Amino acid sequence: MISMQGIGWITEDRFGSIFRENITEYTDRKKVHSIFRDASILLAPIKNFGRFDKVSRNTCLAISLALFDAGIDYSKGTMQDFGILSTDEEGCLQSNIEYFKDYVECGRKLSRGNLFVYTLPSTPIAEAAINFGCQGPVLYLTFQEDQTNQILEQGRIMIESKEATNLLIVNASEEESICFLLKEEKGALKNGWMDLEEVQRAVKGIGVLPEVIKKILQKDKNEVIDYIS
């Protein structure tokens, strides 16, 4: 059995963790890193966080929330046996646009290297793997539709084929992100955990990330919680 043991999400004005049943509002995106540190969601500062592009920031924030939700302690400097899979709707399009604009403004002779770093769609999860000490496989995948359900299915395949035992699965954009922590579980589900198939059924066919987050917030409820407009 594959269990869902942590789910974290963030939008432009709220963030939360599902099993801890926590939702926090905020107004200043620039202060989110400090808010997470003060709340012990981030157990250590994220190196160079201020230089990250928006997708990388949201990826790392969602992962920290999922680890926090699952009660995973990564602060001891030990490598974690976690892999990371990610997807999104646009890849690194906006970061490539920013890099090219900078290249044009610099006379088509050079552009800033710190912008170039984020012109690869795998950069956000590479940054996350470094900062959270993840030692498992790191993989970015893109899908034409149903991104969240498809990336969860890929995680299921990897765990069942023994390519990984623990996975952090992320769908991130510049505005919001969600992360699911999957683990292979031999016994019965502990109170509050979800079965992977249950989550897949909930998000199947939902292609828009804000709607995926809204759907996940239905946990243990029969009606959608309208936290996200």
Side-chain angles (χ1 to χ4, degrees):
M1 177 187 298
I2 301 173
S3 64
M4 190 77 64
Q5 298 185 13
I7 305 175
W9 57 271
I10 185 167
T11 70
E12 292 184 296
D13 59 1
R14 296 177 178 90
F15 62 83
S17 50
I18 296 300
F19 301 130
R20 289 179 183 256
E21 298 182 346
N22 172 58
I23 295 176
T24 301
E25 296 185 358
Y26 68 95
T27 56
D28 189 347
R29 193 72 172 199
K30 294 180 181 179
K31 295 182 179 178
V32 170
H33 186 275
S34 296
I35 293 170
F36 275 46
R37 288 283 290 135
D38 291 344
S40 297
I41 297 169
L42 280 172
L43 302 180
I46 296 177
K47 188 177 179 180
N48 298 323
F49 186 78
R51 286 197 238 163
F52 286 8
D53 70 341
K54 292 179 181 179
V55 175
S56 296
R57 292 179 189 177
N58 279 341
T59 296
C60 288
L61 292 173
I63 286 175
S64 70
L65 283 161
L67 292 169
F68 173 75
D69 201 31
I72 302 295
D73 183 359
Y74 59 88
S75 64
K76 300 176 182 178
T78 57
M79 300 296 284
Q80 300 285 334
D81 186 21
F82 279 92
I84 310 177
L85 305 185
S86 73
T87 191
D88 56 38
E89 294 182 51
E90 294 188 344
C92 54
L93 176 62
Q94 294 304 317
S95 291
N96 274 276
I97 290 172
E98 289 297 318
Y99 177 75
F100 186 73
K101 283 181 178 177
D102 196 55
Y103 171 68
V104 172
E105 290 170 3
C106 291
R108 294 178 181 266
K109 293 182 179 180
L110 52 85
S111 186
R112 284 174 288 176
N114 63 305
L115 294 178
F116 176 73
V117 171
Y118 302 101
T119 58
L120 291 174
S122 57
T123 297
I125 52 176
E127 296 278 20
I130 293 168
N131 277 283
F132 295 105
C134 297
Q135 211 171 16
V138 176
L139 181 65
Y140 171 84
L141 297 167
T142 185
F143 308 95
Q144 288 187 337
E145 57 186 15
D146 204 13
Q147 288 91 359
T148 303
N149 183 55
Q150 293 270 34
I151 195 73
L152 287 171
E153 178 64 14
Q154 183 63 40
R156 181 191 66 78
I157 291 169
M158 290 181 67
I159 290 176
E160 289 184 348
S161 62
K162 308 302 181 183
E163 295 179 66
T165 54
N166 310 305
L167 285 173
L168 293 158
I169 297 188
V170 186
N171 187 350
S173 71
E174 291 197 336
E175 292 76 32
E176 54 265 321
S177 60
I178 189 167
C179 177
F180 305 89
L181 192 155
L182 272 61
K183 296 189 75 172
E184 187 174 28
E185 193 67 32
K186 295 181 180 180
L189 287 177
K190 291 185 179 179
N191 185 36
W193 289 353
M194 294 184 190
D195 181 74
L196 171 59
E197 293 183 0
E198 177 187 349
V199 178
Q200 285 188 277
R201 286 194 298 270
V203 301
K204 187 174 183 179
I206 303 175
V208 182
L209 185 50
E211 293 299 318
V212 170
I213 296 172
K214 180 185 286 188
K215 192 70 176 179
I216 291 299
L217 286 170
Q218 293 181 55
K219 178 186 175 290
D220 294 332
K221 296 175 177 65
N222 294 321
E223 297 180 359
V224 172
I225 304 174
D226 193 19
Y227 284 118
I228 305 170
S229 59

